[in-house]
Amino acid sequence: MSDKDNAKDYSEDGFFNKCKKYAVAIGEECLEKAFTLYYATESENCTLAHKTAIYGALAYLVSPIDAIPDLTPILGYTDDMGVIALALTSVATCIDKKVKGKAKNKVADLFS
């Protein structure tokens, strides 16, 4: 796999494409949490340290390398959501009603 392929996987389009492709498997609630992290990067309270935690968690979500393979029935995304939950806790000051609203709307768009 080339660096060009990796760049595509870890781009904004790559992130949203994977979320769309696996939306049902990931689930609405978990996707909303991932999108909350994504939109938190736009907050004026989001520091470089916050963004590093967020991008690390989102990269783990789209990474083909996982502690528990994503296609494993029932347990597939539990490790991913653990990482997302930890990141949400560490960047809570970046999350406001506007961020939550954008995340909720994005999930609604995916599932409509």
Short mmCIF file of all heavy atoms in Angstrom, two decimals, residues 1 25 71 106:
data_model
loop_
_atom_site.label_atom_id
_atom_site.label_comp_id
_atom_site.label_asym_id
_atom_site.label_seq_id
_atom_site.Cartn_x
_atom_site.Cartn_y
_atom_site.Cartn_z
N MET A 1 0.85 -1.17 0.00
CA MET A 1 0.00 0.00 0.00
C MET A 1 0.90 1.24 0.00
O MET A 1 1.81 1.35 0.78
CB MET A 1 -0.91 -0.02 1.23
CG MET A 1 -1.89 1.12 1.25
SD MET A 1 -3.03 1.05 2.67
CE MET A 1 -4.11 -0.24 2.12
N ALA A 25 -23.39 -1.01 11.01
CA ALA A 25 -22.58 -1.82 11.93
C ALA A 25 -22.09 -0.98 13.12
O ALA A 25 -22.07 -1.46 14.25
CB ALA A 25 -21.38 -2.42 11.19
N LEU A 71 -15.02 -6.35 11.75
CA LEU A 71 -16.03 -7.24 11.18
C LEU A 71 -16.41 -8.39 12.10
O LEU A 71 -17.24 -9.22 11.75
CB LEU A 71 -15.54 -7.77 9.83
CG LEU A 71 -15.30 -6.68 8.77
CD1 LEU A 71 -14.74 -7.28 7.50
CD2 LEU A 71 -16.57 -5.90 8.48
N LYS A 106 -25.46 15.25 11.12
CA LYS A 106 -24.68 14.41 10.22
C LYS A 106 -25.16 12.96 10.29
O LYS A 106 -25.28 12.29 9.26
CB LYS A 106 -23.18 14.51 10.55
CG LYS A 106 -22.30 13.79 9.57
CD LYS A 106 -22.37 14.42 8.19
CE LYS A 106 -21.38 13.77 7.24
NZ LYS A 106 -21.44 14.36 5.92
#
